[in-house]
Amino acid sequence: MPGDRYGLLVLVKLLMGHRERHRTARLQDLATKALRDPRQAWVVSVVNLTIRARQALTTLFVLRPRSLRSRAARRHDPVTAPERGLTVLCPSRNRPAGMARLIRSVHRTAANPGRVEIRCYVDSDDPTVDAYRKVFASAARRYPDLAACELHVGEPIGVSAAWNVIAAAASGEFLVMANDDQLYVDHGWDRAFDARVAELAVEHPDEVLCLFFDGGQYTDDSADFPMISRAWYETLGYYSPGIFQQWQAEQWIFDIARRVGRLYRVPGVLVRHLHYQDYTAPFDATYIRHRLTADKSIADQALFLRTAGERRADADRLRAAIARRAGAERGRATADRNETRGRSEAVTTTNAKDYHDQALRRHYVAVIDAWNYSGRTDLARECAELAVSQGVWEHPLQRPREYLPGLTATPLHDPASFPFLARLESHHEDFRAEIAHVLDGKVDPVKHTVDDGGLIRTGAWKQAHLFRGGRWQDDVCAHFPTIREILETFPELTTDNPGVITVSRVTPGSHIMPHCGPTNALLRVHLPITVPPGVRIRVADQWLTWEEGRCLVFDDSFEHEVRHEGAEDRVVLILDTLHPELGGDHSGRLRERARATEEQMVSYLSENGLEEAHLREGRLVLYPDQELSDLALRHLARAGADRAELVDDRLRVHRGRGAGS
């Protein structure tokens, strides 16, 4: 009886969701728990029955009459605009019935289905993949007048990347984002689309356009399911950014469209979105998956905010394409003004693939590190495997930001393969004596790490860089003259080497979380100086312990972590040497490394919406660009504040002189 009473209480609360004001996140969590609890299966069945009843009533009294009215109104409409080829793109999973409904509604309401093609991507591990095949076999028989209706079955690569796969196979002049929970309601939607494009082409002959159907359901600046032109797609070279796990792909497109002023409605066309959160679709397995992976939406949102620079760059590329496609008269009028900018944009376009590869790697690293830092190593591995499936890296455990293809990828290397290491090991006692003397002195140059401080979950990691960026660090080396004198005789460690020589000190109780080094062009050498019991390192999938005086050589572009469960500090001398397959003169690589620093500065400024950074009386002063400035001013205005600051991870808002909260 207690279970029955609880079930009735859950049922009542879920039924309240038919009223919009009750559809809260708490209600969604309650639905998720009911779906996962076999004892509450009857509750979900009853709720879904009421949702289906609501669907039927809405269809009977709202959607069907509207569809009939649109059919009657547009039956005799003349063709007044050129007909455009349209490709409907729809990744789907575990919803073959929804896919069948989408195909049926698209065909039934199109004035000319002969210029419409439908392409669907389904994961090869989808338990309903055979049902999808039957849906598309049936569609081929029932709707032979469609330009194409094809199913693409492939590896599970995520919705965002799946859109790119089917977009590459598309032949339409416009690519239409779709979902398996959509229902095309209004007849003649394709001719309404043609008319709108013809109207816009007068003002924008370049046809770099992004549109969306609006049957009156959107207000203010909202939009859903973008449709982009072939000119847009070919300029950027992709449909979806491919970096998101679930959400934000369409908002990426809309954000770029707003930046270039090319987002337009196709008014009067209703495409109904049957979504469980609106109680217009039953709760099903897809609902469970979305709710259980809601934390991915947080990661996607964080990634979306971090990638504003990439969207700004893509908006610039579209503007360049618009300028190139403009008429000769307009081109002559603007040629002188945009000459310099046009050259830089042409370079950006030429290197578009490299740019996006770098962006993908950089932001995947940020997301994976965030999962690892939060202790969600399962999600970190899942994210890494997704990146590999999208061609970002070749191995989920080797994830450098700077990747040189073609180099042998081996996590651990035999020290005997590097003859100079035997001579290095022979100086172990010299190194040990000087390091112990420095660490026992009054001035300790081994400071808390700055570059890698975010990798520390517990404890402390301290470093002193004797050599970095291709040169000795004189202020640090002043404390370690013997080590410098000895290592200067090792060209393998210092000549044309963009790596580091570092004294690394890890305190008891420390955990350096899983991470990958920045490049696969280097190998890392650890010469253990002091190694107490209870300290270990994992490289790829293998846990190891150091042996004092014996070098450990590994490729630190592979994932590695350190756990210190001992009682004394662990001290290691870290040295980098070039990958053995990078022979010859490497001065060019050093120059590339220097340029990479400048590129990182550009990336930091652009991604964070900054125009300028400089030092003023020892303090760093940052100036936001207009977009970020406007956003900050809006937030302050809404809060009624004139200043806001973070203090110990807490937001302190100042309202008026001397006020704070």
Side-chain angles (χ1 to χ4, degrees):
M1 291 302 292
D4 291 340
R5 286 198 298 270
Y6 176 74
L8 287 172
L9 179 62
V10 172
L11 176 62
V12 170
K13 289 185 176 180
L14 290 179
L15 290 177
M16 291 172 67
H18 283 287
R19 299 285 298 275
E20 184 176 356
R21 63 190 181 92
H22 294 297
R23 295 174 200 156
T24 63
R26 183 173 297 179
L27 186 71
Q28 300 294 329
D29 290 337
L30 187 64
T32 303
K33 291 180 181 178
L35 280 161
R36 298 175 66 190
D37 187 352
R39 296 171 300 177
Q40 304 302 321
W42 69 274
V43 174
V44 177
S45 297
V46 172
V47 174
N48 281 344
L49 183 64
T50 65
I51 291 175
R52 292 189 178 95
R54 175 179 176 160
Q55 277 184 311
L57 292 172
T58 302
T59 300
L60 181 62
F61 293 108
V62 179
L63 301 183
R64 187 61 177 162
R66 175 174 178 136
S67 181
L68 292 173
R69 287 195 302 270
S70 68
R71 183 177 184 180
R74 291 173 174 158
R75 176 175 296 180
H76 303 295
D77 283 354
V79 178
T80 59
E83 292 189 338
R84 305 302 186 118
L86 303 169
T87 301
V88 178
L89 307 173
C90 183
S92 182
R93 183 176 178 89
N94 208 34
R95 283 179 172 172
M99 193 68 224
R101 179 182 58 212
L102 173 66
I103 297 171
R104 183 170 59 251
S105 71
V106 167
H107 178 270
R108 179 176 59 84
T109 56
N112 178 16
R115 46 69 175 270
V116 179
E117 66 178 17
I118 301 173
R119 298 191 177 275
C120 171
Y121 188 100
V122 173
D123 296 339
S124 56
D125 66 349
D126 190 320
T128 61
V129 67
D130 289 337
Y132 277 101
R133 292 191 173 100
K134 292 179 181 178
V135 165
F136 279 84
S138 174
R141 295 190 301 270
R142 297 179 63 185
Y143 316 121
D145 50 342
L146 282 171
C149 189
E150 296 186 3
L151 174 66
H152 302 254
V153 178
E155 293 300 313
I157 56 176
V159 173
S160 189
W163 265 310
N164 286 330
V165 173
I166 49 182
S171 62
E173 296 172 72
F174 282 83
L175 307 181
V176 181
M177 181 178 285
N179 208 342
D180 52 28
D181 55 5
Q182 282 184 299
L183 180 69
Y184 279 63
V185 176
D186 286 331
H187 283 261
W189 58 268
D190 51 337
R191 285 188 178 163
F193 181 85
D194 292 337
R196 183 61 167 143
V197 170
E199 175 186 337
L200 294 170
V202 174
E203 182 182 357
H204 307 303
D206 51 76
E207 292 195 357
V208 176
L209 298 171
C210 177
L211 305 96
F212 64 99
F213 290 125
D214 183 11
Q217 70 269 44
Y218 299 117
T219 59
D220 301 327
D221 201 30
S222 59
D224 218 353
F225 299 104
M227 302 176 283
I228 63 172
S229 63
R230 175 66 58 176
W232 176 301
Y233 174 71
E234 291 180 349
T235 297
L236 297 186
Y238 68 91
Y239 184 81
S240 168
I243 61 177
F244 300 111
Q245 300 181 68
Q246 280 183 235
W247 292 271
Q248 299 296 342
E250 60 185 327
Q251 294 309 314
W252 177 286
I253 297 173
F254 285 134
D255 183 69
I256 294 174
R258 292 186 179 99
R259 290 174 187 270
V260 295
R262 292 298 180 90
L263 178 60
Y264 295 100
R265 302 171 188 266
V266 181
V269 175
L270 176 62
V271 178
R272 177 83 164 177
H273 190 194
L274 306 174
H275 201 273
Y276 45 78
Q277 288 186 348
D278 300 325
Y279 271 58
T280 54
F283 298 101
D284 60 6
T286 301
Y287 169 82
I288 298 176
R289 188 173 70 253
H290 282 186
R291 290 298 297 172
L292 292 182
T293 57
D295 46 2
K296 292 182 181 178
S297 69
I298 299 173
D300 277 355
Q301 175 64 14
L303 187 54
F304 181 82
L305 295 174
R306 288 173 59 91
T307 50
E310 276 74 9
R311 294 192 297 280
R312 275 193 289 270
D314 281 350
D316 286 342
R317 293 166 61 201
L318 288 175
R319 292 188 189 100
I322 291 169
R324 289 193 300 270
R325 291 170 181 262
E329 182 176 348
R330 182 179 176 184
R332 283 193 301 270
T334 59
D336 292 340
R337 184 172 66 250
N338 292 333
E339 181 180 359
T340 302
R341 180 180 177 184
R343 282 198 298 267
S344 65
E345 288 169 336
V347 172
T348 302
T349 302
T350 302
N351 298 322
K353 185 180 185 302
D354 290 342
Y355 177 84
H356 280 284
D357 286 348
Q358 292 172 12
L360 279 170
R361 287 194 292 269
R362 186 168 64 253
H363 294 297
Y364 260 120
V365 166
V367 173
I368 293 168
D369 284 351
W371 285 133
N372 278 324
Y373 191 83
S374 63
R376 298 300 303 272
T377 54
D378 55 334
L379 291 176
R381 178 63 68 92
E382 181 182 331
C383 188
E385 290 172 349
L386 176 62
V388 170
S389 71
Q390 295 175 358
V392 178
W393 292 294
E394 295 182 7
H395 194 290
L397 289 177
Q398 188 187 31
R399 307 183 302 272
R401 294 188 295 275
E402 300 173 18
Y403 181 69
L404 273 67
L407 296 180
T408 300
T410 303
L412 297 171
H413 290 253
D414 184 359
S417 301
F418 304 86
F420 71 92
L421 292 184
R423 187 163 66 91
L424 183 72
E425 291 175 351
S426 69
H427 292 286
H428 172 259
E429 288 303 322
D430 299 318
F431 298 151
R432 181 188 182 105
E434 184 164 72
I435 291 173
H437 175 74
V438 171
L439 296 183
D440 290 338
K442 295 181 179 180
V443 179
D444 185 358
V446 186
K447 307 295 185 183
H448 288 276
T449 181
V450 175
D451 296 340
D452 303 311
L455 299 177
I456 303 297
R457 295 200 67 195
T458 58
W461 182 12
K462 302 178 181 181
Q463 299 185 104
H465 296 293
L466 286 75
F467 182 92
R468 67 187 310 184
R471 61 180 181 271
W472 292 99
Q473 307 299 301
D474 292 335
D475 55 338
V476 178
C477 289
H479 299 277
F480 301 98
T482 301
I483 294 178
R484 175 173 180 171
E485 182 180 357
I486 293 172
L487 293 182
E488 282 181 332
T489 67
F490 286 82
E492 299 89 347
L493 301 173
T494 58
T495 302
D496 291 339
N497 189 340
V500 300
I501 297 175
T502 300
V503 175
S504 172
R505 182 182 188 182
V506 177
T507 62
S510 296
H511 178 202
I512 303 174
M513 75 176 196
H515 64 287
C516 294
T519 178
N520 65 328
L522 298 173
L523 297 183
R524 178 139 291 184
V525 178
H526 278 193
L527 178 59
I529 303 300
T530 303
V531 182
V535 190
R536 54 194 177 126
I537 181 173
R538 176 178 64 83
V539 179
D541 287 322
Q542 187 172 352
W543 282 98
L544 307 160
T545 56
W546 292 275
E547 182 180 349
E548 290 185 5
R550 300 297 301 273
C551 287
L552 170 69
V553 184
F554 63 99
D555 184 339
D556 85 329
S557 66
F558 279 87
E559 184 176 280
H560 55 287
E561 66 176 306
V562 173
R563 290 185 179 271
H564 190 339
E565 297 162 352
E568 299 176 1
D569 289 353
R570 183 231 66 177
V571 180
V572 166
L573 183 62
I574 296 176
L575 314 101
D576 287 332
T577 187
L578 286 164
H579 192 287
E581 294 173 8
L582 288 176
D585 180 11
H586 304 291
S587 58
R589 280 201 52 79
L590 271 181
R591 289 193 294 270
E592 290 176 12
R593 196 78 174 187
R595 283 198 298 270
T597 301
E598 296 175 0
E599 291 168 1
Q600 289 171 13
M601 293 172 64
V602 172
S603 175
Y604 175 81
L605 292 172
S606 63
E607 288 183 16
N608 291 281
L610 301 172
E611 288 184 345
E612 182 182 347
H614 69 259
L615 286 172
R616 179 185 295 168
E617 297 178 355
R619 292 176 61 87
L620 179 64
V621 181
L622 303 174
Y623 291 90
D625 61 17
Q626 191 61 50
E627 183 179 351
L628 181 60
S629 178
D630 291 344
L631 178 63
L633 290 173
R634 284 200 302 272
H635 285 318
L636 288 172
R638 289 172 183 169
D642 55 20
R643 186 160 63 95
E645 60 180 332
L646 280 177
V647 180
D648 297 329
D649 291 333
R650 298 189 64 182
L651 181 65
R652 178 175 295 173
V653 177
H654 299 262
R655 298 181 176 90
R657 182 176 298 177
S661 64

